[in-house]
Amino acid sequence: RFYETMASKAVPLVNAQVSYNKHMKNDENCILYENENDFIYKLNYLISNSTILNQIQTNAKNDVFTNHLWSNRVKKVLELITKKININQ
């Protein structure tokens, strides 16, 4: 659901204690928080800083459309298959 959130220009607030994947980059395409107090602090920070909020929203959306569409996944799989075929020849 993170990618759907990011594609809609919403900023995912992600618990830093849980490892979701390598694509979540704190303060770039999401906000990681440590605990409930940190969550509230960071949420208030984003609400008060629209320039930073807009930048993270834009980064998140661009990341999804550049790297995480089905067409991107298929392209990556095809590249891996081609590389494997070329190695074995």
Side-chain angles (χ1 to χ4, degrees):
R1 302 214 184 267
F2 291 112
Y3 298 130
E4 291 91 348
T5 300
M6 293 162 67
S8 69
K9 289 190 79 173
V11 175
L13 286 105
V14 181
N15 186 325
Q17 305 300 317
V18 181
S19 176
Y20 288 97
N21 63 50
K22 63 184 177 188
H23 302 291
M24 294 292 154
K25 299 173 188 143
N26 191 37
D27 296 332
E28 187 174 324
N29 64 6
C30 74
I31 298 295
L32 300 177
Y33 65 90
E34 297 291 331
N35 53 46
E36 185 178 337
N37 289 335
D38 192 37
F39 176 87
I40 293 167
Y41 171 80
K42 289 182 176 179
L43 182 60
N44 285 327
Y45 178 77
L46 288 173
I47 292 168
S48 301
N49 293 281
S50 62
T51 302
I52 292 170
L53 175 62
N54 289 333
Q55 185 61 54
I56 295 171
Q57 289 172 318
T58 300
N59 291 344
K61 182 178 180 185
N62 290 342
D63 182 42
V64 169
F65 283 93
T66 301
N67 300 305
H68 304 292
L69 297 178
W70 281 109
S71 57
N72 304 117
R73 304 277 186 195
V74 169
K75 182 179 177 185
K76 182 67 174 173
V77 168
L78 291 174
E79 288 171 359
L80 292 171
I81 291 169
T82 302
K83 183 178 178 181
K84 182 72 173 173
I85 290 170
N86 290 336
I87 289 173
N88 291 331
Q89 290 182 355

